[in-house]
Amino acid sequence: MNITQIFGSNVFNESVMRDRLPRDVFNEVMEVKEHGGQISMRIADIVATAMKDWAVEKGATHYTHWFQPLTGATAEKHDSFITYPVEGKTLLQLTGKQLIMGESDASSFPSGGLRATSYARGYTAWDMTSPAFVKEMSCGNILCIPTIFVSYNGEALDTKTPLLHAMEALSEQTLRIVRLFGNTKATKASAFVGAEQEYFLVDREKYLKRRDLIYCGRTLFGAPAPKGQELEDQYFGVIRERVGAFMKDLNEELWKLGITATTQHNEAAPAQHEMAPIYCVANVAVDQNQLAMETMKRVATHHGLVCLLHEKPFAGVNGSGKHNNWSIGVDTGENLLSPGSHPADNLQFQLVLSCILKAVDTHAGLLRQSACNVGNDLRLGAQEAPPAIISVFLGDELDAVIDNIVNGTSTSENTRIRLDSGVSTVPVLTKDGSDRNRTTPFAFTSNKFEFRMVGSSDSIAPANTVLNTIVAEAFCDAADQLEQAEDFETACRELIRTNFAEHQRIIFNGDGYSEEWVQEAARRGLPNIPSTVDAIPMLCTPESIALFEKFHIFTEAELHSRCDVLYEGYSKGINIEAQTMLHMASKHYIPAVINYVTELATSLNQVKAACPVADTSVQEQLLCQVSSLLTEASNARAHLEQVTAETNAMTDVAAMAHAFRNQVVPAMTALRSPIDQLELLVNKDYWPVPTYGDLMFEV
Ligand code: ADP
Ligand code: MG
């Protein structure tokens, strides 16, 4: 395999356009892509034809507007290129209009009441900033045109539209900041994102024997295997042959799609792995992450595997997340989050950092909300992922800089020291500015922030929409103030000091998994929002509404509708899990245990008949123990059925979501407990589904 030959081979990228489009058309497309504006229909027609010709050469038969509705996933409807046959012959066609815009029935996508069901029109519109690509699927090769998705009245029905608005807002406000520091050349600022993606792989045959994996993507029952992750032998361990073959294919498929899959390794839990691409512009990173998830699932099936993207497929071992690495760059090449070798003297960096701290502290609840979903509730705060409390880790070097600024003390010299291992044949290293802290949700890592809360199955669009918007607001506040200042440097230093002093409480360098931090965070007044249902309303606080309206990201109506969509999504997610548990308990576990109890009783009677004085205490004890857990399971099943039915009868979306969390989730736990205990007692031949050991260690 020659990477350079296959990389991007299925992408209608800049170099393909340069080769295939007339110069003036290419220039106009580039101009609009970089700086916004409208392309004319003449240009659109030329681009569409070139795109279609290129795609057909790649074997494409259909095109689709590829969009990201509020389901968290992607959506596509394929249209073939063929036209009405004339004299029995058809031509292949993609018009400019078809490229730019699509009209579809939006009524089956979540809209949270934005659109009455009778008004069903939705429109998809070409997002020129993310390149079109050909996806090779079993149903054919499909030309995918990334689009946004809006209602007839222009309200956003997707996760992309607000992200693009937020990127524009960030660009505009960032330019105001760099202008203050004398950069007159920059014309655009961008958020850059690299999303590390964690996932599990399990054997497909075994997967198909578990309804919980099929319907919910996670196990709802399962006793711990004798071995978990305690030996820490999986993390960065040697990759198993079958998994390695999967990774090789995955890389090839991702590279064809222009996704820079770069790192691959085993993660902490058995059967858990990670892939990370090289970072790129935020909206492209969002698209590529969606494509990466889809490709992982597809490639896994070719290897008799299933890729689990759920945040917590197995209780008792680590779940999966998605570290969202984020930075801001300007088109003159500068990364605003790069502290340089002397952060203590880097005023622009200090201002940027102080604004980010202000943004995160002011909107901590909103940032937390951006990473909430049903699965992530099982992960955040579970001593393996960041806690549900937002805090920022900066490391010793920057902390010292901030302390000095706040306290007016003098700055000490750069503390970066050399690391000498003492082994004479090993080079002496220069240490990073800070150590790592893996227990923090928002960590500064050299020249970027790493937001670690996002769940592995989730889109990274909402998190980046929030990040870009809250930082745009802090930049805007700073620019409003500093543009008026008579003495810029003094005013700037004063603003930096104020921002740091007022928002220093958000910095925490200690153990984010500890109980002390929970107490300390409460003392500092930082929000601790452990569950999705409590995080959702953060989207609709007066502060959030004002923020999003100010930067034209969302209208108030759009925000309320999104809250409703999220509440509904939560309720539906838990309901599916509850129904699956009822199904598995009734159809699999309880009948299996009854069979086993019957077998035990029969053999007990046989032994007694054959030898009345034989010691049958083991059988009797087991029979009693299993029978009593069977009763507990049966009662818990009945209770779960009842509370689920009662909860489903509710009408208010928020109240219903709360009832699912407060009534149904505990009833699910109560059913799981006896079944998991039974798993450890019942003869394996009777157990109806593969166990944790089977799933995690036999890949
Ligand atoms: P770490 O080991 O600290 O997690 P890596 O270098 O492995 O850092 O990077 C992890 C992810 O962060 C990768 O996807 C990488 O491309 C991305 N990344 C690196 N630099 C930046 C940056 N300036 N902005 C955004 N993402 C970045
Ligand atoms: Mg990382």
Side-chain angles (χ1 to χ4, degrees), residues 192 194 196 277-279 325 327 335 436 447-448 450:
F192 290 100
E196 302 164 49
I278 297 174
Y279 66 95
N325 294 270
S327 66
N335 173 3
R436 285 171 182 262
N447 59 4
K448 62 186 191 299
E450 188 170 337

Side-chain angles (χ1 to χ4, degrees), residues 179-323:
R179 294 271 186 274
L180 289 167
F181 290 89
N183 181 338
T184 51
K185 299 237 168 61
T187 61
K188 186 179 171 184
S190 305
F192 290 100
V193 169
E196 302 164 49
Q197 176 71 49
E198 293 178 339
Y199 59 96
F200 280 80
L201 289 176
V202 295
D203 181 82
R204 187 168 159 79
E205 295 282 314
K206 298 194 181 87
Y207 165 95
L208 290 173
K209 295 197 172 107
R210 292 204 55 138
R211 295 279 134 185
D212 46 4
L213 288 179
I214 294 173
Y215 296 134
C216 312
R218 78 164 173 116
T219 55
L220 299 165
F221 298 96
K227 180 177 188 256
Q229 62 188 56
E230 60 278 64
L231 293 179
E232 298 175 331
D233 53 350
Q234 160 81 358
Y235 190 59
F236 284 13
V238 176
I239 294 165
R240 274 183 266 199
E241 285 294 288
R242 193 172 174 197
V243 173
F246 159 84
M247 286 181 173
K248 183 165 177 273
D249 275 3
L250 174 67
N251 284 333
E252 194 170 328
E253 291 304 310
L254 294 178
W255 288 333
K256 279 197 238 167
L257 290 164
I259 299 173
T260 50
T262 173
T263 59
Q264 60 193 28
H265 63 82
N266 284 350
E267 255 298 332
Q272 192 186 24
H273 313 280
E274 181 183 303
M275 183 284 294
I278 297 174
Y279 66 95
C280 61
V281 174
N283 64 317
V284 177
V286 167
D287 286 0
Q288 292 196 343
N289 181 250
Q290 290 282 9
L291 262 182
M293 290 195 284
E294 182 185 323
T295 309
M296 283 172 167
K297 287 187 182 161
R298 192 160 44 80
V299 171
T301 61
H302 300 163
H303 292 265
L305 296 166
V306 173
C307 175
L308 302 177
L309 292 169
H310 193 280
E311 285 71 19
K312 192 77 178 177
F314 302 100
V317 296
N318 278 14
S320 300
K322 186 137 48 188
H323 292 178

